[in-house]
Every structure is written in structure tokens, then in C-alpha cells.
Amino acid sequence: MRNLTGIDEKPYDLIVVGGGIVGAFATWDAALRGLSVALLEKGDFGSATSANSLKIIHGGLRYLPAGNIRRMREAIRERSILLRLAPHLVRPLPFLVATQRAPTRSRAAFRLALHINDLISFDRNFGVAPTCRLPAGHLASRAECIDAFPFLDHSQTTGGAVWYDCQISNPERLILSLILSAQQAGARVLNYVEAREFVVRAGAVRGVRAMDHIGNTELELRASCVLNATGPWSEGLVDRVAITNGRRADRMRLAMAYNLVCRRPALRGGVGVQSVRELARDPVGGGNRYLFLTPWRTSTLIGTAYVPIGQEEEAPPTTPTLDQLEDFVRECNEACPGLDLSISDVTFFHTGLVPLKAGAESGRPESLAEKTRLVDHGVRDGIQNLVSVTGVKYTTARRAAEMAIDAVVRKLRLPSPKCTTAHAKLSEPSSSRDLHSSEGHDSDSIGKADVLRAVHEEMAVRLTDVVFRRTQIGTEGRPNPDRLDEIAKIMATELGWDDAQREREIHAVWDAYHPLPASDQRRSADIARHSPQASGTDDQARTGPA
């Protein structure tokens, strides 16, 4: 169970701020190297940017046209590491794109690309279990392509190209596995504790002042170094110190990214469909980007859509509007009219903020960042003992964390061993491997013991923690209202919620589906019953998967 006892009694070598995928890997890495480390996350672990996922772990095939072999090798290496670390969560998935007569999309062009990709990824299966090994790419016939994806206009199709990447069935479970492994290695890990400001003395960060949002108490933790792993929010946190040193942190340019969970179509593997929108209508994607449809549990994931965020927005939006969701549905139908999707087919969505290049690296400023950003604020801002890291892909988050902890160890001049997260073994409660496997589960399969495990072993303190991250009962659409009530009652007994708090927790679950319309009258009535206006409560407890 979540435990703050003694959290502020002794100094740490390192405090990690931010419990997404990078912060989780960094905390585990630091603990394995023997550092005393505490992790602070203002929401639930993996509930913000890391929750936005098309669930693809990819080997960098998209970098091949630009000849960026180094980035391909990094992605291939990290993909293999994840296959070894979590074979119960990360599995091979075939991907198909149609070939055409155009030279750059011809069968000959794709045959060459697949051959080069296989050569560059020659070691992709080293140390990987036989059931998780990635086959070589190959060409498919026109008939096979039509059979696999009949929704596409195949008038120009000459066949198909097939390659293999991986799908991670439950990214939230991987993050929690890292958190639990770090805890077992000696780290103190806390969700719902927000780092409000750094403790600074003589131009150096000496710790963090924080707020525990569950107990509503203030904390001050001491540390020799702080790693800022808050991603899109990193500059805002650094600003509070940098301004006192006579400068403002460089503002990171961001875009909102989101992916759709849909009822259809049924697919046997991933499919790439080229968008017909040009650069002017797609400044982040660059125009004519590939949209990907992937099968997941009983649903299909479609992504990714991007909305650039203006620099003037101090509090950038983190949830798309209904108009934006509907516009992405239109884009999917423009690219593939046979889909005939409507907003009623969308049962859930994943959303998060992602960094843009914006002068920090070469390329169009409006395009997605491709390189991990690692900042030693002692060098850049004159603020010692503070390092910031911003990852750009779920696939390479482990490597981003390794780079960050290497920087911390150098800064502290600690006699620390090298990173071992590429080969270490993840820890989990004995039964969670089966419960949270790639197959997932629905609300009717979740029993009282599962909810108790989430609370007592996995630090779940909100209903949304259980519904969206400790289990997957809400990730394909709104759960059964009666079952949700039962789970809320179990948590209320364990955590001491009164009736008003239980109502707020239930409403927070329904709020996570906003602005999607309710799928049936029963759920509409239940959402209305649990609204703040109906229950006479405020909605301060709202938390969602994003």
C-alpha cells in the first residue's frame, strides 16, 4: 500500500520527479546502481504522456528513407531489450502496407527496403524467447493484401509489404512493473505527490518541496541531485528556479497527440494507410503521413493525430475536443473510405503531449522531436545538481533513462556501476503476470481479490487507478456501471472513502471518456447520476488516463 512513513527523514542521492516511462526506468536504474532514490509523481504512475500510446514498439523502419542507421540501430536494440524484459507484454505483430506502381511505393522499392531492414536488424532475435522472435519481412500478393484489409481502395494495389514490429499489450503494466522493481531494489516511490518547487541553496538544488494530494500535507525531501523527468512540463518546473538566476528556461514547443480505440474493423495485424492531407493541414506529421490501424484485444487502435499547441498557451490542453476527434475520424475516412468510421465507433482515446523539434534539432520546427533531450542545468542555467531528461518514444525510454542516470552519476562523482536494466529481471506480485497478461480482462472477470491487490500491493488510491492502469476494464470503453459501483465500494472500505468521495471517484471514471458521447442510455443515465450537480459534490478528484 502507498506509504509515506519516513519519506522525508533522510537525504537521498537522487530524487526523480515524474513517474512516466522514463522516470520509472530511471528510478529502477538508479536503485540497481546502489543509489538511494525517491520517485515523486503528481498523479498516478504512467497516467500522463506515457498513457498516450498506439502500443507499438518499433524498430525504426521509418528512419530508413532518411538513411538514419544510427537511430534504427538504437530502436532495434531497445525493441529486443523490451522483448526480453517483458515477453508476457511485448509480442511480435505483423504490419502491412499496400504496394503500388509509383516508383517509391513499388514492390521493388519495398523489397529492397525490407531486405536492408533485415540486414540492419540482423541481431534482433539475440536472447529473445522463441515465441517472441521477429521473422524477416516479405512481400504479399495482391490477393493477400485485399484479404487482409478489404477496406482500402485497391484499384492501384499491386501487392503488399509485410514487416514485423512489436505490440505492447499493456504499457501501464510495464510502467508499474518498473515501479515495483525499483521499490524492491530499495527506492521509495510515491504517486499523487507533486513536486511544487526545488529547494535551492547557494545556486544548487538541495531537494524538493512537495504536496501530498492524498493526505493534503506538505513535504520537504533532501537530495544530492534531482532528475526532472516530467517531460512536457519540465521547463515549467525549472522556470521557478531559473527566473531567480536571471533567465527563463527555454520553452519547449509541444503538440497534443491522440490515438483512437474503435470497435472495428477486425484485423489480423497492423495496417498502414497513407493520409491524403497535405503539409498545410498536417504541419506536425508533414503531410501524407502513414496512419496505422492495429488490433488490440477486441478493438482496433488508430493513430496518430497531432494538434500543434501555441507557445502562448501557459496551460496547454491535454484532451482533444469532440471536433478534433471527429476531424481525425474524417481524416481516416479520407485515407480509406471503405472504413466508413463514425464517432460512435470510437469507444476510448489515448492522449498526451509530445515535444517538437522547434530549433532544438535539425529539421522542420513543427515536426516531432526525434532525439532524447538531456540538460545539465548547471551548465545551461547555472543551477547545480539538477538534470532534466525528455524522451521522445516509448520504445527508447529505457535508453533515455540510462543516459540521464549516467549524467547524474558523473555529476555526483559516485563510484557507481554501469546500467544493468538491459539485462535485469523485472519483479511483480506473484499473480499479476497472469491477471495482467496480453489477453487483458473485462469488468466481470475482476474480483475482490484483484481490487485488494491493486490497493495493497500496487499503490492504487483512486478508482481511475484500478479501472485504467492496474486493470484494463475501462480501456476499451465504458465499463459496466453496476460492476464499477461494486469496485468503488471495495475501494471505499479499504481506503476510508465516504459516500461523497465514492461518488466523485465514479464520476472521475466517466469523465475520462469526455467528450465522447455515451454509447447507450443506461450509461448516459449513470453518468448523469454521478455528475457533480446530481451528487452535490465538486469535481476536484477528477483524474483520467491521460
Side-chain angles (χ1 to χ4, degrees), residues 417-462:
K418 292 183 178 180
C419 175
T420 60
T421 56
H423 309 286
K425 185 177 180 181
L426 286 172
S427 312
E428 288 198 54
S430 57
S431 58
S432 65
R433 180 175 295 260
D434 295 329
L435 177 64
H436 303 289
S437 67
S438 60
E439 286 76 22
H441 43 268
D442 57 31
S443 60
D444 292 331
S445 69
I446 299 299
K448 181 177 180 179
D450 303 319
V451 180
L452 295 180
R453 183 185 303 110
V455 172
H456 292 286
E457 298 182 28
E458 301 176 348
M459 295 168 280
V461 292
R462 298 292 194 205

Side-chain angles (χ1 to χ4, degrees), residues 100-119:
Q100 297 182 353
R101 298 188 186 281
T104 58
R105 301 187 64 187
S106 67
R107 290 175 65 83
F110 273 103
R111 181 185 291 110
L112 179 61
L114 293 175
H115 179 64
I116 294 173
N117 182 57
D118 289 337
L119 290 176

Side-chain angles (χ1 to χ4, degrees), residues 93-396:
L93 184 71
F95 284 82
L96 166 74
V97 296
T99 59
Q100 297 182 353
R101 298 188 186 281
T104 58
R105 301 187 64 187
S106 67
R107 290 175 65 83
F110 273 103
R111 181 185 291 110
L112 179 61
L114 293 175
H115 179 64
I116 294 173
N117 182 57
D118 289 337
L119 290 176
I120 294 173
S121 62
F122 68 95
D123 57 351
R124 62 188 178 276
N125 291 320
F126 285 7
V128 174
T131 56
C132 293
R133 290 176 183 168
L134 298 167
H138 64 274
L139 294 180
S141 69
R142 185 174 186 274
E144 289 171 327
C145 188
I146 294 173
D147 179 64
F149 195 63
F151 308 96
L152 187 66
D153 176 3
H154 287 290
S155 59
Q156 302 299 315
T157 298
T158 59
V162 178
W163 74 94
Y164 287 80
D165 268 323
C166 293
Q167 182 179 69
I168 178 166
S169 61
N170 191 339
E172 298 82 5
R173 174 53 47 177
L174 177 59
I175 293 173
L176 187 61
S177 297
L178 294 168
I179 295 292
L180 296 173
S181 298
Q183 187 178 53
Q184 188 176 68
R188 295 297 304 271
V189 293
L190 292 173
N191 52 354
Y192 296 100
V193 173
E194 180 180 4
R196 293 284 181 84
E197 61 181 0
F198 299 121
V199 177
V200 181
R201 299 188 184 94
V205 171
R206 304 296 181 184
V208 172
R209 294 188 183 94
M211 170 62 70
D212 170 24
H213 289 299
I214 301 301
N216 197 30
T217 57
E218 295 182 350
L219 302 167
E220 183 171 312
L221 282 69
R222 295 165 290 156
S224 300
C225 189
V226 173
L227 175 62
N228 176 12
T230 58
W233 295 274
S234 59
E235 266 85 11
L237 192 56
V238 173
D239 264 352
R240 302 169 196 176
V241 181
I243 290 174
T244 64
N245 280 34
R247 73 182 303 278
R248 183 184 181 92
D250 296 330
R251 183 64 62 183
M252 187 185 299
R253 289 291 308 280
L254 302 170
M256 178 173 58
Y258 52 95
N259 301 287
L260 307 180
V261 181
C262 299
R263 290 192 180 91
R264 60 183 189 85
L267 300 174
R268 297 192 296 270
V271 176
V273 179
Q274 196 164 24
S275 172
V276 298
R277 294 194 174 181
E278 68 285 356
L279 177 62
R281 299 178 68 194
D282 182 22
V284 176
N288 302 119
R289 75 190 188 285
Y290 272 100
L291 308 176
F292 282 94
L293 297 83
T294 60
W296 176 69
R297 298 183 64 190
T298 63
S299 299
T300 294
L301 301 177
I302 305 179
T304 300
Y306 302 101
V307 178
I309 294 172
Q311 284 184 289
E312 70 282 355
E313 297 188 57
E314 289 294 328
T318 57
T319 300
T321 64
L322 182 59
D323 285 345
Q324 289 169 336
L325 291 173
E326 290 178 330
D327 185 62
F328 186 44
V329 169
R330 283 193 294 272
E331 182 179 6
C332 294
N333 286 330
E334 291 166 1
C336 188
L339 287 175
D340 193 26
L341 289 176
S342 72
I343 195 64
S344 63
D345 294 313
V346 180
T347 58
F348 195 46
F349 58 90
H350 306 134
T351 181
L353 301 178
V354 293
L356 303 179
K357 291 181 176 178
E361 53 186 277
S362 60
R364 289 188 308 104
E366 301 83 4
S367 60
L368 293 173
E370 295 182 341
K371 298 179 180 178
T372 297
R373 298 183 186 180
L374 188 64
V375 178
D376 181 339
H377 293 282
V379 174
R380 196 188 77 172
D381 305 312
I383 308 168
Q384 300 301 321
N385 303 342
L386 177 62
V387 175
S388 289
V389 60
T390 303
V392 293
K393 291 191 302 182
Y394 204 102
T395 303
T396 55

